[in-house]
Every structure is written in structure tokens, then in C-alpha cells.
Amino acid sequence: MKRTIFELTPKRSIREAFVEASSFLDRMRVMEPQRNAQLLLEHVLGLSGTSYYMALTDPFPEGRRLALEEAITRKAEGVPAQYIIGEQEFYGRPFDVTPAVLIPRPETELLVEAVLKYGQELTPRPDGGLKVVDIGTGSGAIAITLALQSKGWDVFASDISPDALEVAARNAQQLSARVEFRQGNLLEPFAGMGPDILVSNPPYIPAEDIEELQPEVRDYEPRTALDGGPDGLNPYRIMMAQLPLLSAPPRLIAFELGMGQAGDVAELLRKAGHWEEIVTVPDLAGIDRHVLGIFR
């Protein structure tokens, strides 16, 4: 199929380039065309915030025209802007992202907040710290943020994908975070370990619903990070079944999950019988998005 290519009119100002780019994305039925046009303009020009707005009346630099045209064309084809830019902010920090990893979402920051809150209530080990494992780390956003926000915690993270672990390790290095990464399926890399905290944002989309996702998610983000089996709950069931691999159950377990899954995941934790309190945390839209089990 022939590409529909964005072509910027010569001798445009940066503001006019923005108008042309956002209009093109709108015609191509891209969601949030203005936001995406600005993100890609800022990336191509190396500007952000105040510096971008102050430059709007400047002539668009001819040397960056081809880069903008290619970026806008790729966005029109459905490629997530974060993959074009190669970066997504999480908890106020820039994380490298590639098609090997799921793009971190704002609601996952609430999972981190909940782990930090309830983790502080746990009695530390004799050395004063806590041992944390992040299952299915992807870009490393959760593990790295926890390591940076709680310096006394020993943070470990796993993923089944070696390509994802490469991205996560690069992010940890760039952000000066101490995280030990291991490859393997869910809890298997931590056999014999007794973590105090286990956190995971696993694949939770029911398999039959994946085709109904937005095209930029369905066609570009890694399916292994999306597909949670027939009802989306397979990873949670498997992790509950794998708990005996650990030397002791975590005192705090925290999951992110999909719409309508909170009751089922909470019941899985209750049936496991290791936690005295089950907490559900809604996202900013009021959707029950996280379930935590706590044993103080």
C-alpha cells in the first residue's frame, strides 16, 4: 500500500508547521492530533515547554523538515509518538521506550504510589531495608522508580523478554538506579527468594479483546505485554500458583489490572490466604485499577 506522506510547505514558521502537521493528522483520523503534532515538533526541534512556545514565530529550520515529515507520516500510520520519540515520561523522569516494551501509562504511577505508601508501613529487615521484586518489568519504570524513591529498598525485576530487559537495564543506568534484572517467566527467576514486596503490571487484556484495542496499541505495542489469556487473568493465576517457589510469601503484593477485574483478582488473593488486608485503589477516572494484599 502506498504511503500517505506528510509534506511541509516550505518557508513556514514553527507555528504554521504545527498547524499543517496537526491538520494532516486530523485528516488521517489520528487521536489527539494537536498533542501529537506538538510532541513530534518538540522532539524534532529539540525544544520543550517555554522554549517551544517562545520559538513559535521563528522560521521552521529547513534542515529539520525531512525529520518532521517522516515523524508525522509515521504517526499518521499509527506508530505511537513515544516510539517515534523513543521516550516516555514516568513519575517525572524520562524513560527510553522501544517496540520491545509497553509504553508506561500514567495510571501505573498510582500503583507506585500505593506500593510506596504501604511499603513504608512494613517492618524493615534487620539491615533496615526491604526486598522488592517487579514482575514483567518492561521498560523498568516501576522497579526503577521504586529504587529511586526508596533508597533503602533492594529492588529486583524480571521479564520474559531479553529485548525488554535490555531497555530496562539501559534506563536504570541512565537514571542511576540500582536494580538487578533477571530473565524468566513471572516468579520463576526469584525461586528461593523471600521478597517483602511483589509488584506487577502484567498482561491483562482478554485475548479476544485485543483486536478491539486502538490500532496504535494493537498493532505496535508488544502482544506479550497485552495478552492475559481468555479472560485476562492468566498471569495472576499463574503467579498465585508460583508462590510456593518463594521462600516466603511477600508481605505486600500489588497488582495493576484491567477494567472489571478487581473483584476477581482480590478473590485470588483472599483464596491464597497470605494477606490480612485486601485494598483496591481506583485510577483518576474512578476505575478500580490496582489490588493490593497486605500482611503487616
Side-chain angles (χ1 to χ4, degrees), residues 106-108 110-111 204 256-259 280-290:
E107 57 264 27
T108 306
L110 299 176
L111 177 62
Y204 54 70
E256 183 162 316
L257 36 96
M259 185 184 298
T280 300
V281 179
D283 63 18
L284 296 178
I287 298 168
D288 288 338
R289 182 65 65 182
H290 310 106

Side-chain angles (χ1 to χ4, degrees), residues 1-295:
M1 181 181 296
K2 185 178 179 181
R3 300 178 84 193
T4 302
I5 297 173
F6 171 66
E7 295 183 90
L8 180 65
T9 303
K11 298 183 179 179
R12 300 278 89 181
S13 68
I14 291 174
R15 178 182 282 113
E16 289 168 329
F18 164 75
V19 171
E20 285 194 12
S22 58
S23 297
F24 177 82
L25 293 177
D26 188 42
R27 292 196 303 273
M28 298 299 291
R29 299 185 178 180
V30 172
M31 294 183 65
E32 299 183 297
Q34 294 185 336
R35 176 178 175 272
N36 279 290
Q38 180 173 333
L39 281 173
L40 295 173
L41 258 172
E42 289 179 338
H43 171 64
V44 166
L45 296 173
L47 301 172
S48 63
T50 303
S51 61
Y52 168 77
Y53 290 106
M54 290 181 65
L56 284 174
T57 57
D58 295 347
F60 185 88
E62 180 62 22
R64 304 306 300 155
R65 182 169 62 85
L66 292 179
L68 179 65
E69 290 176 344
E70 177 62 16
I72 296 297
T73 297
R74 291 182 67 199
K75 179 65 241 176
E77 292 171 338
V79 181
Q82 293 90 338
Y83 289 157
I84 298 171
I85 294 169
E87 184 177 287
Q88 169 65 19
E89 184 178 289
F90 184 84
Y91 219 82
R93 300 182 178 95
F95 282 79
D96 284 2
V97 292
T98 76
V101 301
L102 196 73
I103 298 166
R105 266 60 173 187
E107 57 264 27
T108 306
E109 295 184 357
L110 299 176
L111 177 62
V112 169
E113 290 280 3
V115 171
L116 290 170
K117 173 186 174 182
Y118 290 104
Q120 298 295 340
E121 299 176 2
L122 300 179
T123 303
R125 300 194 311 271
D127 62 6
L130 294 173
K131 190 172 291 185
V132 184
V133 296
D134 172 29
I135 307 300
T137 195
S139 67
I142 293 174
I144 291 168
T145 302
L146 290 175
L148 292 172
Q149 295 299 124
S150 294
K151 298 293 186 180
W153 293 6
D154 295 324
V155 181
F156 302 78
S158 69
D159 205 287
I160 199 169
S161 165
D163 293 333
L165 288 174
E166 183 178 330
V167 175
R170 184 166 67 247
N171 280 322
Q173 182 178 24
Q174 292 175 172
L175 293 168
S176 300
R178 292 183 58 188
V179 179
E180 181 179 314
F181 296 99
R182 300 182 180 183
Q183 184 182 355
N185 185 38
L186 299 176
L187 274 58
E188 289 177 358
F190 304 108
M193 180 186 289
D196 301 287
I197 299 172
L198 187 153
V199 58
S200 183
N201 177 16
Y204 54 70
I205 306 297
E208 66 178 15
D209 293 348
I210 290 179
E211 292 306 312
E212 305 303 318
L213 297 174
Q214 295 176 9
E216 67 176 37
V217 176
R218 179 193 66 214
D219 298 339
Y220 291 95
E221 298 202 54
R223 186 155 296 222
T224 55
L226 298 171
D227 190 342
D231 61 358
L233 300 176
N234 277 4
Y236 308 100
R237 294 192 186 98
I238 294 170
M239 282 189 274
M240 291 299 98
Q242 289 178 333
L243 282 175
L245 293 174
L246 306 178
S247 63
R251 292 183 286 154
L252 172 61
I253 189 166
F255 290 138
E256 183 162 316
L257 36 96
M259 185 184 298
Q261 295 176 335
D264 290 327
V265 174
E267 185 61 22
L268 286 173
L269 297 188
R270 290 190 188 96
K271 286 183 177 179
H274 300 300
W275 300 283
E276 59 189 5
E277 183 179 1
I278 308 297
V279 175
T280 300
V281 179
D283 63 18
L284 296 178
I287 298 168
D288 288 338
R289 182 65 65 182
H290 310 106
V291 169
L292 296 87
I294 308 161
F295 184 85

